[in-house]
Structures are given as structure tokens and as C-alpha cells.
């Protein structure tokens, strides 16, 4: 048995090492320690900055095991770091692996951010819209008011105000250039637990204008005999109109809302037009209406002409009030659709056009206004009903005379927020 590594024999040594040596140890050249130059490498690194320090073979050690020399390929440590590394000098061993994304945390902060933006936008929109309301009507100056009943009653007025309109706009909308303001339409909207009820008050209704306090002078004025309802507005504006409606119906008015010609047309255009089913061909030179029968989308100019037309209708003012009810309900329904509410490029112009042109009472809030529009939408959606004030015929002066027994029953049902059973014209 020889002293050479396993599977080596004396015959394998060759002449280089000299045969017949008496020493069983390898020559000194084979047992020289690994030569190092320069400062010692830091622990865990090889002598050449990334190449691991090779094992020395003094006294046969460093063979990778008792059975022989280990080249390092078995463990992937020829180059790189212990444990395999990248296989390149100075590999990626110094970089920690990127942690997996924390999706729960990302979703949480995204939700918080979105919620914050929505809250800020909503609050900002509320204060912006609230600041645009024209709260000009002081209902506290109305005298001798009836007792408040159940539910809420809005007096909705369409005036022929031409304030702020240019001559070109007046010509386009066929409004004429009359001075002052008159009421072109008047409606009572009742909201309560039995659904909304929309009641039109014909402007030619024969009523008594009661004793009232002047809105500017503060002086009490005596009552005036039988007059048309719209005369009250012409004499002393919104407060006398409210006083006259309350006196002749016995119904307490909670809120007042008024819109003029230009504002009405601007709202319709801002919402992108309103679809209507026109029951008959309408051509009226005074209102400017020139509409064909059938379903169509009306722009602001066409819509204003439609709700003002009465001379081309068989029922004159009574038919006109029905058209006004239909259109206002359709407009409210269009404003409340997702295509308007969820589209800021349509919602804000619509809100701006409406709020700029509305005149309301001093106690009206945005939630009150929203409730009114929602109730109007309910009327068009079949959740409520619309009607004219019951008419019994013409009075001696040619005005429309209310059917007072029916009116009394209607007012009682509204005051008690009961289901309305009275029919109108």
C-alpha cells in the first residue's frame, strides 16, 4: 500500500517527482500554503474581492471531504458567495430580495384617498351651490297666514322676467320687451307620505286680493275685489302672491320658488334638452312655437315656446297648465338621471344655470330644493299625480271660477297629508 492519494500508484508519479523517494510525504512544492499578497480580505470574501478564498491543502486538508478533493461545483461555490450566489464575481448576494406587494395596505390607502376626495368635493360643491341661491323673498312679512299642516307646500312660479336678456335673446325667445314682471304659470307642489301632488293654478283664476302689507312700504293696503290671480304678483310681487294663494285656499305655503324666461331656457340647454311627446302639431306666432306631433327632444328655445303656448290650444290656459306640468316633471326627471348626476361636465353647468336663475325664499335650503326636484321627478314617474285646480266655469267678469266645494276637500286632504281623491280639470 502506498501513500499517494487513492487510485494513484508509483507508476503514475512520472519522473518529475523522482522515483524511489523514501519519504511518504509529498514534496514541499505540493504542500505550500496559498500565497496571499496585500491586506487580508474581509471575512467571508476571497482574496480577489468576490472570488472566495480557496482552501489550503496543508497536510491534505481542504479536499472537501474524506474521500477526496472537492472542486466546489457540487455546491455552486466556485465563484460567488456561499450557498450558490449568482455564479458571477461580486454577484447579487448583497441585495435582499424585493418583498411581495402588500395589497391589503395599498387597497386600504386607495380607499381612504378616494373617500377623502369625495368628501372634499361634496362639501365644496354644497357650499358653492348654497352661495348661488338667490334668497330674496321674505315670507315672514306675509300677514294673517293659515296654520301649517302636514307635509310641505311649494309655490312654484314661472315669471316673464326679461332681466339680463339682450335684445337678441328677447327676439330669439319671442319674449317681447314688456317692462316689469308677471306670472306666466303658478303651481302648488305638495310633498308628503302619500306621494307628491302637483296642482296648477290658472293665471286667469278669479280670486280676491286680500288686505296686505306692502313689501317695500311696509304699509297695510286694503283688499281688492275679484281679480285675476296673476294680478297679485303684478301689484306687489311674490309676497302678495303668496298672501293671495293662502287667503283663497287656506293652505299654508312653506317655500317659494321662481324662475324667469332666460333661466328656464338655460337649464334646458345645460341638461342637453328634454324629451317630450308632443300630443299635436303646435304653431303659435306669439310664443314662437312651431312643433310637430310626436316624441322629440326640445332645446331651451323650443321648450320655452312649448310651455308658453296657449292660443293654439283648444283649452287655452287650462291646456297650457297641463303642458307645463308635463314638461317640468320631464325636466326634473332628466336632471336626476345618472347621465347628468354622474357627469360633472353636465351636472355643474346644469346646477349653475338653475341656481343662478332661481329666486327663492330666505328659508329655502339646498335640501329643500333637492326635495322639490325629487318630488317633481316622482310626479313624472307615476309616484304622484298632477291636476288643475278644480274649475266650475267662468265668473261674471270672464275669469275662471274655482269649484269651491272641491277646493275645500282638496285643501283638507293636503293639510292632513292624505291621499288626494279630488279630480281637477
Amino acid at each position: 500500500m502506498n501513500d499517494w492519494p487513492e487510485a494513484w500508484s508509483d507508476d503514475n508519479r512520472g519522473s518529475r517527482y523522482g522515483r524511489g523517494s523514501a519519504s511518504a510525504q509529498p514534496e514541499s512544492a505540493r504542500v505550500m500554503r496559498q500565497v496571499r499578497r496585500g491586506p487580508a480580505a474581509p471575512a467571508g470574501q476571497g482574496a480577489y474581492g468576490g472570488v472566495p478564498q480557496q482552501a489550503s491543502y496543508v497536510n491534505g486538508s481542504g479536499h472537501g471531504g474524506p474521500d477526496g478533493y472537492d472542486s466546489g461545483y457540487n455546491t455552486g461555490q466556485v465563484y460567488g458567495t456561499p450557498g450558490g450566489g449568482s455564479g458571477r464575481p461580486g454577484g447579487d448576494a448583497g441585495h435582499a430580495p424585493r418583498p411581495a406587494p402588500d395589497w391589503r395596505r395599498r387597497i386600504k390607502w386607495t380607499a381612504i384617498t378616494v373617500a377623502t376626495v369625495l368628501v372634499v368635493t361634496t362639501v365644496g360643491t354644497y357650499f358653492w351651490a348654497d352661495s348661488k341661491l338667490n334668497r330674496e323673498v321674505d315670507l315672514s312679512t306675509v300677514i294673517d297666514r293659515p296654520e301649517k299642516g302636514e307635509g310641505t307646500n311649494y309655490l312654484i312660479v314661472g315669471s316673464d322676467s326679461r332681466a339680463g336678456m339682450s335684445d337678441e335673446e328677447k327676439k330669439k325667445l319671442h319674449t317681447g320687451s314688456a317692462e316689469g314682471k308677471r306670472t306666466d304659470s303658478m303651481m302648488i307642489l305638495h310633498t308628503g307620505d302619500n306621494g307628491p301632488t302637483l296642482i296648477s293654478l290658472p293665471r286667469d283664476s278669479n280670486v280676491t286680493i286680500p288686505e296686505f302689507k306692502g313689501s317695500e312700504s311696509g304699509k297695510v293696503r286694503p283688499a281688492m275685489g275679484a281679480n285675476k290671480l296673476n294680478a297679485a304678483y303684478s301689484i306687489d310681487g311674490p309676497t302678495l302672491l303668496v298672501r293671495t294663494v293662502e287667503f283663497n285656499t287656506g293652505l299654508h305655503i312653506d317655500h317659494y320658488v321662481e324662475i324667469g324666461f332666460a333661466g328656464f331656457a338655460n337649464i334646458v340647454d345645460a341638461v342637453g334638452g328634454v324629451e317630450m311627446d308632443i300630443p299635436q302639431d303646435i304653431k303659435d306666432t306669439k310664443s314662437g312655437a312651431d312643433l310637430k306631433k310626436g316624441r322629440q327632444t326640445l332645446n331651451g328655445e323650443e321648450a320655452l315656446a312649448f310651455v308658453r303656448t296657449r292660443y293654439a290650444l283648444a283649452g287655452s290656459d287650462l291646456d297650457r297648465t297641463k303642458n307645463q306640468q308635463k314638461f317640468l316633471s320631464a325636466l326634473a326627471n332628466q336632471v336626476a338621471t345618472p347621465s347628468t348626476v354622474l357627469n360633472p361636465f353636465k351636472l355643474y353647468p346644469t346646477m349653475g344655470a338653475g341656481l343662478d336663475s332661481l329666486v327663492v325664499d330666505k328659508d329655502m335650503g339646498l335640501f329643500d330644493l333637492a326635495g322639490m326636484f325629487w318630488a317633481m321627478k316622482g310626479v313624472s314617474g307615476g309616484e304622484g299625480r298632477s291636476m288643475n285646480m278644480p274649475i266650475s266655469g267662468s265668473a261674471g267678469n270672464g275669469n275662471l271660477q274655482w269649484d269651491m266645494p272641491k277646493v275645500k276637500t282638496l285643501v283638507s286632504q293636503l293639510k292632513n297629508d292624505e291621499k288626494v281623491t279630488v279630480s281637477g280639470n
Side-chain angles (χ1 to χ4, degrees), residues 190-404:
H190 174 83
T191 63
D193 293 335
N194 284 289
T197 302
L198 184 63
I199 307 162
S200 284
L201 309 174
R203 71 176 193 171
D204 293 340
S205 296
N206 192 58
V207 298
T208 296
I209 297 179
E211 181 181 78
F212 67 97
K213 185 196 307 186
S215 58
E216 294 184 4
S217 66
K219 296 181 180 180
V220 176
R221 304 292 185 182
M224 289 175 273
N227 276 275
K228 291 183 179 181
L229 179 59
N230 67 340
Y233 185 95
S234 299
I235 293 171
D236 200 45
T239 53
L240 181 54
L241 178 60
V242 170
R243 165 79 172 131
T244 302
V245 170
E246 290 186 339
F247 178 84
N248 286 272
T249 64
L251 193 64
H252 182 93
I253 299 300
D254 298 290
H255 292 295
Y256 177 90
V257 181
E258 177 186 328
I259 186 169
F261 282 162
F264 180 85
N266 288 340
I267 292 175
V268 175
D269 285 335
V271 82
V274 176
E275 187 177 50
M276 287 290 297
D277 190 3
I278 307 299
Q280 65 183 71
D281 290 350
I282 299 176
K283 190 172 182 63
D284 185 357
T285 56
K286 291 192 175 183
S287 68
D290 188 5
L291 304 170
K292 300 298 182 182
K293 178 181 179 181
R295 184 166 292 278
Q296 56 201 282
T297 298
L298 305 183
N299 60 26
E301 179 183 349
E302 294 167 336
L304 182 60
F306 175 69
V307 299
R308 293 182 61 215
T309 295
R310 65 169 176 164
Y311 294 105
L313 305 176
S316 187
D317 201 36
L318 292 178
D319 282 350
R320 178 171 71 164
T321 57
K322 294 176 183 179
N323 286 342
Q324 291 170 346
Q325 291 175 347
K326 291 177 183 177
F327 186 84
L328 289 179
S329 296
L331 174 60
N333 186 67
Q334 177 66 26
V335 170
T337 57
S339 63
T340 300
V341 175
L342 299 179
N343 183 355
F345 297 103
K346 185 179 288 187
L347 175 63
Y348 285 97
T350 300
M351 291 178 63
L355 295 171
D356 278 340
S357 55
L358 291 179
V359 175
V360 300
D361 64 273
K362 292 184 180 297
D363 294 327
M364 174 74 84
L366 287 179
F367 289 109
D368 298 312
L369 193 60
M372 185 193 78
F373 272 98
W374 192 258
M376 296 281 288
K377 179 179 181 294
V379 171
S380 66
E383 300 171 8
R385 60 173 301 182
S386 59
M387 58 183 288
N388 276 325
M389 185 64 80
I391 302 295
S392 61
S394 296
N397 56 6
N399 297 337
L400 295 174
Q401 184 64 49
W402 291 356
D403 187 333
M404 294 312 297

Side-chain angles (χ1 to χ4, degrees), residues 74-98:
N74 293 332
T75 61
Q77 297 181 15
V78 177
Y79 295 103
T81 60
S86 65
R88 300 187 303 271
D92 295 335
H95 300 281
R98 178 178 297 177

